[in-house]
Every structure is written in C-alpha cells, then in structure tokens.
Amino acid sequence: MDLELETDVKEEVIAYLSQFVTAPRRRRMDKVLAWRTRHLTVALEDVYQPHNASAVLRSCEIFGVQDVHVVEGTNRFRPNKDVALGASQWLTLRHYRGDAGESTACCLRQLKARGYRIAATTLQEDATALSDLSLDRPLALVFGTEEEGLSQEAHELADTFLQLPMFGFTQSFNVSVTVALCLYDLTRRLRASEVPWQLSDQEKRDLKLKWLIRSTERGELLVRRFLREREEGG
C-alpha cells in the first residue's frame, strides 16, 4: 500500500495504527529502524534457487540492509517462505524485469544515478579484498547466479570488483553465504565509522507506517477507514 500523504497525516495514521500493535512490538520496530541503513544495498542478478533467494533476504534483514534490488532477466526470483521466515515483509524489494542484460543495466544505472558505487563479486585475482572495500560513499553489492556468476553487463558497469579470500580447492562460496559474509563485515565496519549511514527521519516514518500496516490485521482497510473518517470530519 503506497500512501502519498503529508508528514502530519502520516504521523496521525501511525498513531492510529499503533493502538492495534502491542507496546513491545512498537518498541521493537523503533529499535530496528535505528539500525536500518540504505548506505549499503544488495543487487541480485538472476538468483533463482528458492533456498538461496530466501537466505539472502534473511541475511539482508538481519544485518539491517533495507533495500534489495532483484534483477530477473533470465530467471524469476522465487524465495522459499519457510527459509526466509517473513524477512521480505520488512524489506524494500525493487524488481527489474526484462531481457537478460537490459534488466541488469537498468538496475545498475539507476543505482549509479542515486550515488551508489557498484561493487561486483568476482573470481578475478586482482579484485579488492573485502576488508579494503571503502565505505565512504553508498555502496551496492552485486551478486550473480549460482552457477555462472555475474553477467558481462554487470562486469562492464561495475566500479570495483570484490573477492572473498578462499584457501581450499572449492572455487567459490554459495551465493547466500557470500552475501552473509560480506554484510557481516561491511555493516560492522560501517556502524563503527563516522559515515552517516542511518535512515533519515522521513525514511524511518515511511517504513514504520508500512510495517504497522503489515503488522495489523486488515491494516490497509483500517487506514482507508481512518482517512475517510478524517476527511469527513475535517
């Protein structure tokens, strides 16, 4: 449910919906919002295995990364609800559907236009180590398919390349493991830095409204009724 409302009206709706949510739940929302970030974001290119798709969403939610960009050029993104454990309801998922390559380019160009530096995961030997990856500006981590990795378009649009250290015979990590390892390190470093990584007050307000709607039985219906009664009484 997308609501184009003035700030004061949103505050009224939040106050109204809050009466249908327990106090511990409301406190939990505020605590989670305080740790949420859009300074880091994750882009997934044609990740299709349900278990991996779900585990990635779960890791993003746990580590406080709000936005996940899902490129569906060749494969459809089908998370397994049992594995994701409801993570998607707390995240902002942005889908890019179209021909293979074109959807990737659309996603990454939009991220660049919003000020993100694109870090593509790769097996290239000259790639930047995770510990050396700079967080001085917004960063988008791009992960590819389970078998083939990232497309040529993703490599061409990347600003930097990232590689995790590996010391065994196996060539690469599972994609969901790679995401979790990257986010553990980067979110830990980000929150210990002086970079302004937190959400703005407006972003927190908008997310809290969405979360309250999703947490309340018949939340959308309650909001419509409140707005109708407000208008009739105004």
Side-chain angles (χ1 to χ4, degrees), residues 14-73:
I14 288 172
Y16 172 71
L17 288 177
S18 293
Q19 67 182 309
F20 300 102
V21 179
T22 65
R25 185 71 158 183
R26 296 197 301 272
R27 288 194 294 269
R28 181 65 177 171
M29 286 184 184
D30 290 336
K31 183 177 180 180
V32 170
L33 283 170
W35 290 104
R36 274 295 199 260
T37 188
R38 283 189 163 117
H39 192 86
L40 279 175
T41 194
V42 166
L44 305 172
E45 183 188 52
D46 283 328
V47 172
Y48 65 91
Q49 292 182 355
H51 186 279
N52 281 334
S54 307
V56 168
L57 295 184
R58 191 170 170 182
S59 292
C60 288
E61 204 284 316
I62 287 173
F63 286 114
V65 174
Q66 181 60 37
D67 297 336
V68 179
H69 301 263
V70 180
V71 174
E72 299 175 278

Side-chain angles (χ1 to χ4, degrees), residues 123-151:
L123 296 176
Q124 295 179 184
E125 293 184 358
D126 59 345
T128 301
L130 179 63
S131 58
D132 295 330
L133 198 60
S134 175
L135 294 168
D136 60 343
R137 56 180 283 198
L139 183 68
L141 300 170
V142 189
F143 302 90
T145 61
E146 291 83 347
E147 289 84 10
E148 299 178 3
L150 289 170
S151 67

Side-chain angles (χ1 to χ4, degrees), residues 169-182:
F169 291 105
T170 308
Q171 188 178 25
S172 64
F173 290 104
N174 175 282
V175 63
S176 62
V177 173
T178 303
V179 173
L181 290 172
C182 288

Side-chain angles (χ1 to χ4, degrees), residues 2-228:
D2 294 322
L3 294 173
E4 296 294 334
L5 303 172
E6 298 294 330
T7 298
D8 59 337
V9 180
K10 286 183 180 179
E11 293 284 7
E12 290 181 32
V13 177
I14 288 172
Y16 172 71
L17 288 177
S18 293
Q19 67 182 309
F20 300 102
V21 179
T22 65
R25 185 71 158 183
R26 296 197 301 272
R27 288 194 294 269
R28 181 65 177 171
M29 286 184 184
D30 290 336
K31 183 177 180 180
V32 170
L33 283 170
W35 290 104
R36 274 295 199 260
T37 188
R38 283 189 163 117
H39 192 86
L40 279 175
T41 194
V42 166
L44 305 172
E45 183 188 52
D46 283 328
V47 172
Y48 65 91
Q49 292 182 355
H51 186 279
N52 281 334
S54 307
V56 168
L57 295 184
R58 191 170 170 182
S59 292
C60 288
E61 204 284 316
I62 287 173
F63 286 114
V65 174
Q66 181 60 37
D67 297 336
V68 179
H69 301 263
V70 180
V71 174
E72 299 175 278
T74 303
N75 305 314
R76 287 291 170 259
F77 187 74
R78 296 186 176 91
N80 183 317
K81 294 181 180 179
D82 292 334
V83 178
L85 296 180
S88 60
Q89 69 175 316
W90 310 113
L91 298 172
T92 302
L93 301 184
R94 305 183 188 278
H95 294 263
Y96 304 79
R97 297 186 175 105
D99 295 336
E102 291 182 7
S103 50
T104 297
C106 177
C107 171
L108 299 188
R109 284 171 181 155
Q110 286 189 30
L111 286 169
K112 282 175 174 281
R114 293 169 55 193
Y116 283 94
R117 186 160 55 101
I118 308 299
T121 53
T122 182
L123 296 176
Q124 295 179 184
E125 293 184 358
D126 59 345
T128 301
L130 179 63
S131 58
D132 295 330
L133 198 60
S134 175
L135 294 168
D136 60 343
R137 56 180 283 198
L139 183 68
L141 300 170
V142 189
F143 302 90
T145 61
E146 291 83 347
E147 289 84 10
E148 299 178 3
L150 289 170
S151 67
Q152 183 63 33
E153 288 80 8
H155 279 81
E156 291 174 356
L157 287 167
D159 298 305
T160 189
F161 295 96
L162 168 67
Q163 183 183 45
L164 295 178
M166 291 174 284
F167 306 100
F169 291 105
T170 308
Q171 188 178 25
S172 64
F173 290 104
N174 175 282
V175 63
S176 62
V177 173
T178 303
V179 173
L181 290 172
C182 288
L183 293 185
Y184 171 76
D185 179 81
L186 294 174
T187 56
R188 179 183 56 82
R189 287 202 285 127
L190 183 64
R191 294 187 175 106
S193 73
E194 296 182 356
V195 173
W197 54 267
Q198 296 94 337
L199 298 178
S200 68
D201 289 341
Q202 178 179 341
E203 288 174 315
K204 290 178 182 178
R205 184 184 304 111
D206 290 347
L207 279 175
K208 187 172 185 178
L209 177 54
K210 290 181 180 179
W211 292 355
L212 283 169
I213 292 172
R214 293 170 183 174
S215 298
T216 307
E217 185 177 358
R218 295 179 295 178
E220 293 188 10
L221 181 62
L222 287 173
V223 171
R224 292 192 181 96
R225 186 177 70 182
F226 173 82
L227 293 175
R228 183 176 63 253

